Amino acid sequence: MQVSKEELLHIANLAQLTLEDNEVEKYLQNLQEILNFANIVNNAPVDELDITIGANEAKNVFRKDEVKIFEDIDSLLQNAPTQEQHMFKLPKVIN
Amino acid sequence: MNITELTVHELQDKLKNKELTVTEITKAYVDRINEKEKDVQAFITELTEEGMKQAEEIQKRIDAGEKVGELAGIPIGIKDIICTKGVKTTCASKMLENFISPYDATVMEKINAEEMIDLGKLNMDEFAMGGSTEYSYFKKTKNPWDLSRVPGGSSGGSAAAVAADMVPWALGTDTGGSVRQPASLCGIVGLKPTYGLISRYGVVAFASSLDQVGVFTKDVQDCAMLLNVVAGHDEKDTTSVDVGPKDYTKALQKDIKGLKIGIPKEFYGEGINPEVKASLEEAIAKYKEMGAEVEEFSLDIAKYALATYYIIACAEASSNLGRYDGDRYTYRAKDCKNLKEIYKKSRSEGFGAEVKRRIILGTYVLSSGYYDAYYKKAQKVRTLVMNEFHKAFEKYDVIVTPTSPTVAFKLGEKSNNPMEMYLADICTVSVNIAGLPGISVPCGVDKQGMPIGMQIIGNKFCEETIIKAAYAYEQQTKFREKYKPTFKNK
């Protein structure tokens, strides 16, 4: 499948990435090359097979829905680029 | 006696006989790091001072007559993808350059419970994406056998640190070969267990259905010992499996008469370096001599598996890496006007090129219009790969292949060609896709003295079988006695 420049930019946008003008050609070429290789999966004899999601049998693992308090708030917040009053500080979301 | 050349079980013997103290051992490794790190560049964060302090405290307790654990005071190195409380966990990314985990990964809790001494966090490809450790944001690790070559990846720092005797053993992670391939390229032992055997809690996620923690050691006995420490069910990881208590050192047996070994001929064909192939053939002949029943068979999945791997791993990565948004604990770009700009600029500036490449590929194969052609197809191929292995293990106890198609390549040789770098994973990825255990053991060197690794693949949760096969071979061939890293081409 041929990937267009517009498609690449659309995908990058979906992934919340900005590609610089001088990067676009390179990413386009890489993506095309990898997809050309990945196309081989379409030749695999798998029409009769079901999909597999994980390495082991998928089963639900239940536990009690209990609240556990993580006490060490300081060590969580020390990683925040900006914080105020023990909260993450971010630009306004709704104007 | 050169302390840093010893294996952990040898160190243990000397501790028991009072030939060595915990302080002497740690001091020897710290000196070795100070001597070799400038050439090898394996560490992102060194913890040598903290390590010395911890060693002195343990030694004090021993001197006071207190009984300590069998592994207390044994140094270790940790891949910088495993969360360590109070110490940076960077994933070799600008995105997490200053991230200090508020908690320990379950495997770290186990290491700490043994009172092992963490001497530092080891280099890797950014977010474990790569096969040479050249995609680290911080530094390029060199191969101790030839400093102009890569150590492999993504756990290249772990492999190089063990090979260079800077730590006696180390932890890594393996999503498509990231423990086995660098172990092979650095001439040491590397084991990736069955998916679910070791908890992934606190291990930064790359591709959750493929990621597993693995161990790097100097020999197979140490490998069984370290696996004993880190394996086990964890309720904090819902994919972790309870197989009950096991002692993997019981599998250290030399007699493998009657062991059924399958040789998948497709893994010895095109793309496999002739010297690698010759070395493997020699190893197979050795197995026959030891009484194993060896048979060639067809396992025609390698090329499908590689394509499937890159589709599934990138799809999962594109989702997993969505959390890095500049909000709470990551790099944040400057001068952003709104939230959307924080997301986009922080991600574009914080991720390296390979990570962005894989996020884009992953987003593409999951997007409408391509989901069926790539992602869904890849999930079906995953079933095919599992079925083919299942059939093979009805006939064979283990499957033997090269770990890597070539020996360690030169720094810069493949870093600008993603497809060529991906092909270096051709022998290892199918094991992750099927969730099987695999071990790489050194089986020789090429004409230039670079190590070659043999991969032994087992059926699910049959770690004992591959450990036994690896141990018996190692005891016959004694690679460590014949070859050691030369640190040439400084």
Side-chain angles (χ1 to χ4, degrees), chain A residues 16-93:
Chain A
Q16 306 284 1
L17 291 168
T18 313
L19 299 182
E20 299 297 330
D21 290 343
N22 60 1
E23 295 177 319
V24 173
E25 270 311 306
K26 199 183 84 191
Y27 277 97
L28 201 55
Q29 191 200 332
N30 291 158
L31 183 63
Q32 192 63 61
E33 217 175 273
I34 299 165
L35 286 172
N36 289 347
F37 173 74
N39 264 330
I40 198 169
V41 294
N42 288 303
N43 303 334
V46 295
D47 289 343
E48 309 295 312
L49 297 178
D50 289 331
I51 61 162
T52 296
I53 296 165
N56 293 331
E57 194 191 351
K59 61 174 190 339
N60 284 320
V61 178
F62 294 104
R63 60 167 168 76
K64 282 197 179 133
D65 188 17
E66 288 167 334
V67 176
K68 285 183 189 160
I69 309 281
F70 186 84
E71 305 274 357
D72 193 2
I73 293 170
D74 289 336
S75 73
L76 274 179
L77 281 166
Q78 71 178 344
N79 292 302
T82 48
Q83 54 160 304
E84 204 174 295
Q85 294 175 0
H86 264 190
M87 284 181 279
F88 298 109
K89 189 178 176 186
L90 287 160
K92 227 187 232 179
V93 180

Side-chain angles (χ1 to χ4, degrees), chain B residues 53-320:
Chain B
K53 263 186 218 153
Q54 196 186 343
E56 281 158 15
E57 280 161 25
I58 294 169
Q59 189 58 46
K60 252 186 225 162
R61 285 163 41 211
I62 295 171
D63 293 343
E66 189 181 321
K67 195 163 161 39
V68 297
E70 286 199 347
L71 292 170
I74 298 292
I76 189 166
I78 307 293
K79 185 181 186 180
D80 209 15
I81 196 169
I82 295 172
C83 284
T84 44
K85 188 177 177 175
V87 172
K88 275 187 199 175
T89 298
T90 69
C91 266
S93 180
K94 182 181 179 181
M95 188 59 99
L96 292 173
E97 188 172 7
N98 297 308
F99 173 69
I100 297 175
S101 174
Y103 66 93
D104 272 321
T106 297
V107 287
M108 278 320 293
E109 284 181 354
K110 288 171 180 278
I111 296 291
N112 293 338
E114 297 288 336
E115 296 196 87
M116 278 191 233
I117 297 176
D118 176 9
L119 285 181
K121 302 296 292 288
L122 298 161
N123 200 22
M124 52 186 278
D125 287 294
E126 184 180 1
F127 284 103
M129 297 176 184
S132 70
T133 313
E134 290 167 289
Y135 295 141
S136 165
Y137 171 65
F138 300 105
K139 52 173 71 172
K140 289 182 176 48
T141 299
K142 318 292 191 304
N143 191 313
W145 296 74
D146 176 347
L147 298 168
S148 68
R149 296 178 193 245
V150 302
S154 67
S155 315
S158 300
V162 174
D165 293 334
M166 294 195 285
V167 288
W169 56 14
L171 293 184
T173 56
D174 188 317
T175 304
S178 286
V179 165
R180 290 158 288 154
Q181 185 256 23
S184 169
L185 270 44
C186 289
I188 58 170
V189 175
L191 179 139
K192 178 206 93 78
T194 309
Y195 183 85
L197 190 76
I198 301 179
S199 169
R200 291 183 297 112
Y201 180 75
V203 180
V204 178
F206 157 19
S208 307
S209 81
L210 303 161
D211 297 342
Q212 263 297 286
V213 173
V215 298
F216 290 94
T217 56
K218 288 182 182 176
D219 71 0
V220 179
Q221 186 171 342
D222 279 5
C223 174
M225 284 161 55
L226 190 51
L227 188 61
N228 273 353
V229 175
V230 290
H233 176 250
D234 178 14
E235 62 173 18
K236 290 180 187 150
D237 172 3
T238 55
T239 61
S240 121
V241 177
D242 193 354
V243 291
K246 283 196 180 189
D247 178 0
Y248 295 100
T249 61
K250 291 207 174 116
L252 300 168
Q253 295 161 18
K254 290 180 196 171
D255 182 11
I256 52 143
K257 269 195 201 78
L259 184 81
K260 295 191 190 75
I261 301 180
I263 307 294
K265 58 175 192 276
E266 290 82 2
F267 284 70
Y268 293 79
E270 200 191 333
I272 306 295
N273 175 286
E275 285 188 74
V276 171
K277 192 177 166 188
S279 182
L280 261 293
E281 280 164 356
E282 220 173 284
I284 292 163
K286 178 60 85 179
Y287 270 121
K288 283 185 191 158
E289 208 179 282
M290 290 159 67
E293 294 169 21
V294 179
E295 190 180 279
E296 203 180 77
F297 76 109
S298 174
L299 185 66
D300 197 9
I301 49 159
K303 56 184 189 294
Y304 298 133
L306 189 64
T308 295
Y309 171 77
Y310 278 96
I311 293 169
I312 291 175
C314 293
E316 292 183 20
S318 73
S319 167
N320 270 329

